[in-house]
Amino acid sequence: MKTGILGGTFDPVHKDHLALIKAAKEALGLDRIVLLPTLNPPHKPETVTDYDTRLEMLKIFAEESGENPVVDETEKLFYPKAYSYQTLPYLAEKYAGEDPVYLIGSDSLFKFTEWKRPETAAAAMPIAVYPRGDDRGVAEECSRLESVYPGSEFIPLAYKSRGISSSLIRFMAETGDESGLDETLTPGVKKFVAEKRLYTGFSAIVEKLRAELPLGLFLHSVRSAEWAVTHSWLCGTGFSESFLAALLHDSAKPFSPMFPMSEYPEGTAPQVCHQYDGGYRVKHDFGIDDSAVIDAVTYHTTARAGMTALDELTYLADKLEKGRSYPGAESLRAIAERDLSAATAASLNRTAEYLKSKGETPDNLTLQAIEWYNRKNGRQNGTQTIS
Ligand SMILES: [Fe+2]
Ligand SMILES: [Fe+2]
């Protein structure tokens, strides 16, 4: 008997989890999978659906999956906070006769040394790693960690995700994409999500925007929100902020400029005004007080020095959503898949070059942003002397 343990928030559980269960069983010769919903997911900066609701949803999934996974409630024992260094040894003992192996995503692998007492987690049982995004560097990191923690075993899994994530599904539910939900959720889970009205906290905002914007601009906004939430795991921003900033970035575009030109920073071109108006509308018309969201909208066109992770995510979502097809978009997308800061810097340089080629001067904030990235990159490459 050989058992694989798959932990996760499962908020919600979806068809990629099912594909992963099948792939892990095959690759590791597992007889069964244990699903372990996490109590308090680390590195998630916002509340998730409560544990009992996720547990109920997971049991529906287990029943209809055809793979007979077991739902394990171990983390409850460690309420209010369960760490892997506590749960893994506990599970190793619980499943001692079943040769257990713990499954993690490559995003967790690359943060493994930041886990609390990683040596205890590494010693508890072998850890198999499925790629999140591409599989670049996963095998190397597995061997590196094996030498950092002698006696540990890290196994890279060849598994190709279909690109479904819980964030994508939350996005689909928020924007009412029924056919998307049909494709990504098992039927019982889809019904459960609808009955409990999960992931509908922003539907009023979506409907307000739909009513106000021309269709083309509304669809661009929705695609931007999709890009943002499906890339937010790269920079650690939460679902709500990522979704709202990208969704509302152009919310003022048809109404801009909303104020006399003297109210905008000196030298602001008329087409740039909508970023400031957008920040205003987010706060005053959409009632969002989160200054990170307001700022990300306020600088989505020009960027600024000191770009935050949410600023970069929003800036890129606007430029790289799937409807964008300008020359160079594909190569920027490839950079963004592994480094949002590098993609932002590359996109800003491209914009500045383009404007200069037309004899126009980029906005001051754009020039400051480019300068800021140059300095940052210079420091990282060790070419900058510290004075
Ligand atoms: Fe815009
Ligand atoms: Fe836009």
Side-chain angles (χ1 to χ4, degrees):
M1 181 82 172
K2 196 167 174 176
T3 293
I5 302 169
L6 177 61
T9 50
F10 302 113
D11 191 19
V13 61
H14 51 71
K15 285 185 182 171
D16 244 16
H17 290 123
L18 186 55
L20 175 61
I21 289 170
K22 289 179 179 165
K25 274 181 156 178
E26 169 99 31
L28 299 166
L30 304 175
D31 299 293
R32 69 166 180 174
I33 287 277
V34 167
L35 299 173
L36 180 78
T38 51
L39 200 57
N40 53 319
H43 317 300
K44 294 248 169 169
E46 61 186 66
T47 14
V48 289
T49 307
D50 68 78
Y51 182 84
D52 289 338
T53 304
R54 285 184 286 127
L55 193 65
E56 209 180 327
M57 185 157 50
L58 205 52
K59 286 178 178 169
I60 294 170
F61 169 84
E63 194 118 304
E64 66 184 351
S65 69
E67 293 293 322
N68 290 321
V70 175
V71 178
D72 185 301
E73 301 178 32
T74 289
E75 290 229 351
K76 255 188 184 169
L77 305 173
F78 296 91
Y79 182 86
K81 206 161 170 61
Y83 289 101
S84 303
Y85 79 86
Q86 299 168 312
T87 51
L88 259 62
Y90 180 90
L91 291 165
E93 210 172 304
K94 183 171 176 181
Y95 297 102
E98 303 177 25
D99 207 1
V101 53
Y102 193 64
L103 296 155
I104 63 171
S106 55
D107 50 336
S108 298
L109 177 79
F110 289 111
K111 288 188 182 145
F112 191 80
T113 50
E114 295 167 32
W115 290 21
K116 206 164 185 183
R117 296 176 46 184
E119 65 289 348
T120 308
M125 66 178 86
I127 293 176
V129 185
Y130 55 91
R132 186 99 201 255
D134 64 25
D135 60 357
R136 193 190 312 253
V138 172
E140 291 77 5
E141 184 65 4
C142 283
S143 347
R144 192 183 76 82
L145 289 174
E146 283 181 349
S147 56
V148 175
Y149 306 107
S152 67
E153 195 182 348
F154 288 84
I155 312 156
L157 274 184
Y159 163 74
K160 193 87 194 124
S161 155
R162 285 167 58 208
I164 303 172
S165 63
S166 299
S167 298
L168 176 65
I169 292 161
R170 290 173 73 174
F171 159 83
M172 288 170 167
E174 292 287 1
T175 55
D177 181 356
E178 288 297 317
S179 64
L181 293 172
D182 277 330
E183 273 173 41
T184 52
L185 295 177
T186 52
V189 171
K190 185 183 178 232
K191 190 159 163 269
F192 182 84
V193 166
E195 277 169 7
K196 296 272 176 187
R197 292 194 45 79
L198 298 181
Y199 322 120
T200 54
F202 302 128
S203 54
I205 288 178
V206 173
E207 289 320 308
K208 178 175 163 63
L209 197 71
R210 193 196 302 271
E212 290 180 353
L213 296 193
L215 182 63
L217 187 59
F218 174 72
L219 295 176
H220 160 65
S221 305
V222 169
R223 290 191 302 263
S224 300
E226 178 179 1
W227 197 95
V229 301
T230 51
H231 290 79
S232 59
W233 67 275
L234 283 160
C235 61
T237 53
F239 177 86
S240 304
E241 290 188 334
S242 311
F243 178 78
L244 290 173
L247 181 78
L248 297 176
H249 79 278
D250 275 342
S251 56
K253 203 164 188 180
F255 319 110
S256 187
M258 288 167 53
F259 303 97
M261 285 309 284
S262 56
E263 303 267 320
Y264 299 93
E266 208 183 322
T268 300
Q271 66 272 24
V272 171
C273 293
H274 80 282
Q275 67 171 12
Y276 301 106
D277 297 333
Y280 178 90
R281 292 209 71 206
V282 164
K283 185 172 168 64
H284 297 279
D285 295 348
F286 289 91
I288 295 163
D289 274 329
D290 184 338
S291 60
V293 174
I294 296 168
D295 282 352
V297 171
T298 300
Y299 300 104
H300 82 264
T301 310
T302 59
R304 59 170 170 168
M307 290 281 275
T308 65
L310 188 66
D311 290 351
E312 290 178 340
L313 187 74
T314 310
Y315 174 87
L316 290 172
D318 178 25
K319 305 282 180 297
L320 301 180
E321 56 92 347
K322 62 190 177 197
R324 297 285 203 185
S325 58
Y326 53 86
E330 273 315 311
S331 62
L332 286 175
R333 284 191 180 105
I335 304 172
E337 290 306 317
R338 42 175 212 280
D339 187 340
L340 297 184
S341 292
T344 307
S347 174
L348 284 168
N349 281 317
R350 188 190 159 280
T351 304
E353 290 303 318
Y354 173 72
L355 289 174
K356 281 178 195 161
S357 75
K358 290 203 308 177
E360 294 173 27
T361 317
D363 191 279
N364 271 337
L365 288 173
T366 304
L367 296 173
Q368 288 165 16
I370 290 173
E371 165 78 21
W372 181 74
Y373 278 107
N374 285 344
R375 256 185 299 145
K376 200 161 82 132
N377 294 335
R379 264 203 305 277
Q380 270 165 10
N381 297 334
T383 54
Q384 187 97 354
T385 47
I386 299 161
S387 55

